[in-house]
Amino acid sequence: MSPKPQAVDSQETLLSAKKNFPDDLPSDHPAHLVGKNAYFTSRLGAAFWGDSLEMLQTLPAGSVNLVVTSPPYALHFRKAYGNERKDRYIEWFLPFAKEIQRVLADDGSFVLNIGGSYNQGMPTRSIYHFKLLIALVEEIGFHLAQECFWYNPAKMPVPAEWVTVRRVRVRDSVEYVWWFSKSPHPKASNLNVLKEYSEDMLRLNRNGVRGAVRPSGHVIRNSFDKIHAGGSIPPNVAEAEFDVAENMMKMGNNAANDFYTKRCKEEGIKIHPARFPALLPKFFIKLLTDAGDLVVDPFAGSLTAGAVAEKLDRRWIAGEAVEDYLKAGIFRFEESMQHPSLF
């Protein structure tokens, strides 16, 4: 039996963080949607320690606008935060997916970050995550709105046997970020994530362009050079840093001297080993929700998604099974208050 969660204000090291959060919650606070006491609350959200599946089961149907999460991947070696084997992964995850589908609003979205892995003892790739993708669509009933990709340049060159010893494979640095929706037409606006116009687009705007038909058959109209949307529509794949909207998102997740890591070291609290970069949930929260909407992360880790949602004036709920990760996650809210530009 799991130990009963202790109130955060009983943790001496977190008193300074706790006092920033109100004790008397308004009636519309999202903490009231979950049928148990929150581990801690903020102005707009609440974090819960325990079984995330049970947490999802308490949420009312249709109450959530966005679920954005990164569950433990199916890896060969057991991680401190827990992870399922590949041959059991779909069976393990589908109960979560069923509840996510139930709690989403009709125009809601589910964004899933998941990494691939190699087959044990062989230089070939597992397809467990593709099997999961098919199951989420065909068994649960999600629609695949779009595939996105996270390029993580900080990833290690593993498996070492195939990448650095025998030199027969290259480094695996890309993870999938699948955007699912409950209906074919989820709420979304790329106007919220436009990037700056390129120099080429600005030149076209200055000089004008004549209508033409490209060799591919695409028609370039006279209005192609007009700038009126406030920015350019994100491309499918890009190589720039992720301060713009892109399908390929380039960012690391191993910062050793950021605010969160420093505070964990100061307080002697365990650092989450697979942290969500803040810019990843930020992009999808801006793309898929409006201020006041409810964002849920059932595998919250270091509470990055919740902290980003708070900064963007979205309500949020987070679930996490490891207490130390929630303790450290409070530092995310200190960070957003002291360094708002980071979010």
Side-chain angles (χ1 to χ4, degrees), residues 222-239:
N222 292 332
S223 61
F224 179 78
D225 60 338
K226 299 299 185 289
I227 292 179
H228 54 76
S232 64
I233 298 172
N236 283 343
V237 178
E239 297 179 358

Side-chain angles (χ1 to χ4, degrees), residues 247 284 304-305:
N247 259 38
F284 288 103
T304 304

Side-chain angles (χ1 to χ4, degrees), residues 152 154-155 252-257 261 275:
N152 182 358
K155 275 205 162 191
N253 69 336
N254 68 337
N257 296 303
T261 303
R275 302 183 296 283

Side-chain angles (χ1 to χ4, degrees), residues 121-301:
M122 294 186 292
T124 58
R125 300 285 288 173
S126 167
I127 60 171
Y128 87 93
H129 48 315
F130 297 120
K131 291 180 179 179
L132 176 62
L133 168 63
I134 293 170
L136 290 173
V137 173
E138 295 188 349
E139 296 184 34
I140 303 300
F142 282 110
H143 299 269
L144 180 60
Q146 195 162 13
E147 312 100 313
C148 295
F149 303 91
W150 167 22
Y151 168 44
N152 182 358
K155 275 205 162 191
M156 299 294 291
V158 293
E161 174 71 17
W162 313 121
V163 180
T164 62
V165 178
R166 300 196 190 191
R167 302 277 181 164
V168 294
R169 294 294 182 270
V170 295
R171 188 169 49 146
D172 178 30
S173 297
V174 175
E175 295 185 6
Y176 292 90
V177 184
W178 287 322
W179 167 19
F180 298 99
S181 57
K182 190 170 181 176
S183 72
H185 302 285
K187 177 168 66 174
S189 176
N190 64 27
L191 293 173
N192 296 332
V193 289
L194 295 177
K195 58 180 291 187
E196 292 184 3
Y197 287 114
S198 67
E199 287 299 321
D200 285 342
M201 189 65 198
L202 294 174
R203 176 180 53 79
L204 286 174
N205 179 247
R206 290 192 302 267
N207 300 335
V209 63
R210 291 185 299 175
V213 179
R214 283 186 171 181
S216 63
H218 292 288
V219 177
I220 305 298
R221 303 188 185 281
N222 292 332
S223 61
F224 179 78
D225 60 338
K226 299 299 185 289
I227 292 179
H228 54 76
S232 64
I233 298 172
N236 283 343
V237 178
E239 297 179 358
E241 292 292 337
F242 180 59
D243 55 359
V244 295
E246 299 164 349
N247 259 38
M248 180 168 285
M249 306 164 191
K250 179 180 178 181
M251 65 200 86
N253 69 336
N254 68 337
N257 296 303
D258 63 358
F259 184 89
Y260 165 84
T261 303
K262 289 179 180 178
R263 291 291 287 120
C264 287
K265 292 177 179 178
E266 289 171 359
E267 301 293 348
I269 297 177
K270 184 185 299 182
I271 298 171
H272 195 286
R275 302 183 296 283
F276 222 17
L279 291 172
L280 188 61
K282 179 181 179 180
F283 171 73
F284 288 103
I285 291 172
K286 292 178 68 176
L287 174 67
L288 303 174
T289 67
D290 299 316
D293 281 354
L294 180 59
V295 177
V296 171
D297 183 355
F299 300 96

Side-chain angles (χ1 to χ4, degrees), residues 109-124:
S109 291
F110 167 35
V111 174
L112 175 66
N113 165 224
I114 191 165
S117 67
Y118 277 81
N119 292 312
Q120 191 165 9
M122 294 186 292
T124 58

Side-chain angles (χ1 to χ4, degrees), residues 9-116:
D9 54 12
S10 69
Q11 306 295 331
E12 184 175 347
T13 59
L14 300 180
L15 283 174
S16 61
K18 175 65 177 176
K19 68 183 181 182
N20 292 314
F21 306 128
D23 293 323
D24 298 324
L25 300 177
S27 59
D28 60 348
H29 193 280
H32 297 304
L33 296 175
V34 180
K36 65 176 184 177
N37 292 332
Y39 191 78
F40 82 91
T41 60
S42 68
R43 181 176 64 91
L44 293 176
F48 294 86
W49 174 31
D51 188 329
S52 292
L53 181 58
E54 293 180 359
M55 182 196 76
L56 288 169
Q57 290 168 341
T58 68
L59 293 175
S63 62
V64 177
N65 302 100
L66 171 64
V67 174
V68 55
T69 196
S70 181
Y73 304 162
L75 305 175
H76 299 314
F77 302 104
R78 298 291 295 175
K79 298 291 186 178
Y81 49 79
N83 53 295
E84 285 292 331
R85 300 196 322 248
K86 285 192 284 288
D87 60 342
R88 294 168 47 182
Y89 197 86
I90 296 175
E91 179 184 0
W92 168 76
F93 190 78
L94 286 190
F96 291 94
K98 183 178 180 181
E99 289 302 315
I100 290 170
Q101 206 265 357
R102 181 187 65 83
V103 302
L104 279 179
D106 289 341
D107 62 353
S109 291
F110 167 35
V111 174
L112 175 66
N113 165 224
I114 191 165

